[in-house]
């Protein structure tokens, strides 16, 4: 049913199924429609045939929305060419469930880490066999180079325009190249939330009886953990996985300043800058955490999967991460991992978090674009798929507002993360991730600068100025 590959060091640069998204020095001849254009679905938009929507024994029936009029996968054999991100179970579980319900569709899946995905997506999308579905850490440059399929026709065909506008806004790109409005070029498999996970047993050892309500209270807990010979924060910062210290840094930015300028910078609004006074305060706090030894000594050599495994085994009181890890933590340490939103600088102040879709796009030259779009619609509307979103992804599935959120198991971290999402929404504190601002800002800006900050070779002020310079350089290309 599945042909799953993991791109390794020797294959990443050689195969068109290698990783992907940094806009390196790559000249691409544009041939598709420009931003704002509408591409018609390539096959009939008649209602799905009965055979295409039948289910195998034991699988949940597709919802009415999933089989409504619109492009389908048809009834003949289809092999979806997909590129998934390593370390996230949800796309694999969703693709398996999809094939259970639509046996004519099988998958050719490649996978790689986030940082590697950010280096070769332009080449993948421009190749002779581009992915039908691909994880997109960033979008603007790919839209500019006409490498992503414009999904406006699917918005109309499937009725996505009736979903909450905020669900799709981060995946829209306007004609001027800014995100947040304009045509749709991707969709989310779910809608994630980041914050702070904590080991309940170790937190109790340092006197934590409830989540901290200010940054100062959190830093007091870090000092107590260090004094108790516990690892205060488990983290990753290896180049292969990308600079994981960007997670606490962005949370500190939102604690000491407003979130809108952060989103404006990520969305490439004219005049936006990351080099602000409040962001400098945030970077200075991160440097203090580094100097105090709150992160592992080998953090610059620690990759994402290793950090999560270590945290699940009890190494670390806290870990900055997202709700996509809920199921893994529940498995590794049942009942012992909790979650809270990072606090504000002031007691009772607004709370904020990175909250964004797990974004997947369709290549402009995809051979099975309609089936890929049908899959994206199915993910948000099918009962079994939505249950996978909650149970495996720990996240809100999105989609139509009249569909219920599937239940999570009693005692699961998922209940914490789903509940925390309401607090972020109430504060209007949702942010995209600072690594998504441009095609190469994570690999060429944040990751090397954060590694140098850990190594004592960069200052907080220098970090922000260097990242802003890289950002402007990329915008000018």
């Amino acid at each position: 049913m599945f042909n799953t590959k993991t791109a390794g060091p020797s294959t990443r640069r050689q195969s068109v199924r290698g990783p992907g998204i940094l806009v390196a020095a790559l000249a691409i001849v544009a041939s598709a429609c420009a931003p704002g254009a509408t591409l018609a679905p390539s096959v009939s938009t008649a209602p799905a045939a009965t055979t295409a929507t039948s289910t195998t024994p034991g699988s949940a029936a597709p919802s009415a929305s999933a089989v409504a009029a619109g492009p389908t996968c048809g009834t003949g054999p289809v092999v979806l060419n997909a590129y998934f991100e390593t370390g996230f179970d949800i796309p694999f579980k969703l693709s398996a469930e999809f094939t259970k319900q639509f046996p004519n569709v099988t998958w050719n899946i490649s996978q790689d880490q986030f940082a590697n995905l950010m280096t070769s997506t332009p080449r993948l999308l421009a190749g002779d066999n581009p992915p039908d579905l691909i994880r997109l850490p960033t979008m603007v440059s790919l839209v500019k180079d006409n490498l992503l399929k414009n999904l406006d026709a699917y918005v109309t065909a499937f009725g996505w325009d009736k979903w909450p506008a905020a669900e799709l806004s981060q995946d829209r790109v306007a004609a001027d190249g800014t995100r947040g409005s304009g045509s749709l070029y991707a969709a989310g498999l779910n809608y994630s939330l980041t914050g702070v996970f904590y080991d309940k047993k170790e937190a109790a050892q340092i006197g934590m009886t409830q989540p901290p309500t200010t940054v100062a209270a959190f830093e007091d807990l870090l000092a107590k953990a260090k004094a108790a010979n516990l690892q205060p924060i488990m983290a990753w910062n290896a180049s292969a996985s990308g600079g994981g210290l960007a997670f606490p840094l962005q949370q500190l930015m939102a604690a000491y300043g407003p979130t809108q300028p952060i989103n404006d910078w990520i969305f490439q609004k004219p005049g936006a800058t990351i080099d602000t006074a409040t962001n400098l305060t945030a970077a200075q706090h991160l440097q203090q955490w580094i100097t105090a030894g709150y992160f592992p000594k080998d953090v610059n050599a620690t990759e994402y999967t290793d950090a999560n495994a270590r945290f699940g085994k009890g190494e670390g009181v806290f870990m900055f991460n997202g709700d996509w890890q809920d199921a893994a933590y529940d498995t590794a340490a049942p009942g012992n991992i909790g979650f809270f939103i990072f606090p504000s600088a002031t007691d009772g102040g607004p709370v904020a978090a990175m909250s964004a879709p797990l974004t997947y796009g369709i290549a402009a030259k995809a051979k099975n674009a309609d089936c890929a779009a049908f899959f994206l619609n199915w993910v948000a509307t099918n009962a079994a798929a939505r249950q996978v979103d909650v149970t495996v992804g720990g996240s809100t599935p999105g989609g139509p507002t009249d569909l219920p959120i599937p239940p999570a198991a009693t005692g699961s971290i998922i209940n914490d993360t789903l509940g925390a999402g309401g607090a972020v929404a109430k504060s209007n504190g949702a942010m995209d991730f600072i690594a998504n601002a441009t095609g190469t800002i994570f690999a060429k800006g944040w990751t090397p600068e954060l590694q140098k900050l850990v190594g004592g070779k960069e200052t907080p002020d220098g970090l922000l100025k260097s990242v802003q310079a890289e950002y402007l350089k990329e915008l000018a290309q």
Side-chain angles (χ1 to χ4, degrees):
M1 179 170 65
F2 295 93
N3 177 16
T4 305
K5 308 180 185 73
T6 300
S10 63
T11 62
R12 277 201 302 266
R13 305 292 181 186
Q14 300 170 10
S15 168
V16 296
R17 295 189 178 94
I21 288 185
L22 274 180
V23 187
L26 185 64
I28 301 173
V29 179
S31 60
C33 296
T38 300
L39 302 182
S42 58
V43 299
S44 169
T45 57
T50 302
T51 14
T53 59
S54 63
T55 61
T56 55
S59 65
S63 69
S65 299
V67 295
T72 75
C73 293
T75 60
V78 176
V79 179
L80 282 175
N81 184 21
Y83 216 104
F84 295 163
E85 181 180 354
T86 300
F88 291 79
D89 288 340
I90 186 167
F92 298 95
K93 299 294 186 181
L94 286 170
S95 56
E97 176 62 32
F98 190 73
T99 294
K100 282 176 62 179
Q101 296 188 27
F102 304 96
N104 65 306
V105 181
T106 54
W107 299 76
N108 179 24
I109 299 172
S110 298
Q111 58 177 308
D112 211 331
Q113 298 187 69
F114 184 91
N116 294 327
L117 280 168
M118 295 189 74
T119 60
S120 51
T121 291
R123 175 173 56 82
L124 289 171
L125 294 173
D128 294 332
N129 186 33
D132 297 307
L133 279 169
I134 186 168
R135 170 76 166 101
L136 297 175
T138 189
M139 293 171 46
V140 173
S141 57
L142 303 174
V143 172
K144 178 182 177 181
D145 291 328
N146 301 296
L147 295 175
L148 287 177
K149 189 172 184 66
N150 184 309
L151 304 184
D152 284 352
Y154 299 123
V155 172
T156 302
F158 291 118
W160 296 346
D161 52 347
K162 297 179 179 63
W163 299 0
E167 287 186 17
L168 304 178
S169 62
Q170 292 189 31
D171 292 329
R172 293 186 179 277
V173 180
D176 64 358
T178 59
R179 285 177 56 211
S181 63
S183 291
L184 188 72
Y185 287 92
L189 297 191
N190 62 3
Y191 296 83
S192 61
L193 180 76
T194 64
V196 186
F197 290 89
Y198 65 98
D199 185 299
K200 294 179 180 179
K201 293 178 181 177
E202 294 187 359
Q205 290 180 47
I206 59 173
M208 177 177 153
T209 58
Q210 61 183 10
T213 58
T214 64
V215 175
F218 180 71
E219 291 180 329
D220 182 59
L221 291 171
L222 296 179
K224 289 179 178 177
K226 184 69 176 177
N229 292 318
L230 298 173
Q231 177 61 58
I233 306 174
M234 176 48 63
W236 73 97
N237 207 48
S239 58
S241 297
L245 295 196
F247 276 61
L249 175 60
Q250 186 169 348
Q251 291 288 184
L252 284 162
M253 288 178 177
Y256 286 99
T259 58
Q260 190 58 51
I262 299 172
N263 277 328
D264 286 348
W265 185 80
I266 298 167
F267 292 166
Q268 301 182 6
K269 300 297 183 183
T273 181
I274 202 69
D275 185 14
T276 66
T278 55
N279 288 348
L280 177 59
T281 299
Q284 289 169 339
H285 275 264
L286 183 68
Q287 183 188 48
Q288 291 167 8
W289 294 4
I290 293 168
T291 303
Y294 294 159
F295 297 106
K297 293 181 179 179
D298 61 347
V299 67
N300 272 356
T302 302
E303 296 191 13
Y304 179 80
T305 52
D306 293 331
N308 281 299
R310 289 163 65 177
F311 181 70
K313 294 176 181 177
E315 187 179 348
V317 181
F318 302 105
M319 184 164 184
F320 289 79
N321 212 334
D323 53 14
W324 52 83
Q325 283 297 140
D326 285 359
Y329 291 158
D330 272 334
T331 300
N336 190 46
I337 306 296
F339 176 90
F340 60 86
I341 295 296
F342 191 72
S344 174
T346 57
D347 197 2
V351 293
M354 288 90 86
S355 180
L358 183 60
T359 302
Y360 275 75
I362 301 172
K365 299 189 298 181
K367 297 176 182 177
N368 300 296
D370 288 354
C371 187
F374 180 77
F375 171 77
L376 292 174
N377 183 69
W378 171 88
V379 165
T381 58
N382 178 265
R386 290 170 64 84
Q387 187 67 64
V388 170
D389 273 330
V390 170
T391 304
V392 179
S395 303
T396 300
T401 56
D402 60 347
L403 295 180
I405 301 297
T410 301
S412 169
I413 312 169
I414 296 171
N415 295 299
D416 291 349
T417 54
L418 289 178
V424 174
K426 185 177 180 180
S427 291
N428 194 31
M431 302 175 287
D432 196 356
F433 186 30
I434 53 176
N436 297 340
T438 70
T440 59
I441 200 67
F442 199 34
K444 292 186 177 181
W446 290 118
T447 298
E449 291 301 315
L450 287 167
Q451 288 184 324
K452 286 191 287 186
L453 190 69
V454 170
K457 298 180 179 180
E458 183 57 283
T459 65
D461 182 61
L463 178 149
L464 295 175
K465 283 181 166 49
S466 294
V467 170
Q468 180 65 17
E470 175 62 29
Y471 174 83
L472 294 175
K473 175 183 175 183
E474 294 181 28
L475 294 186
Q477 291 176 347

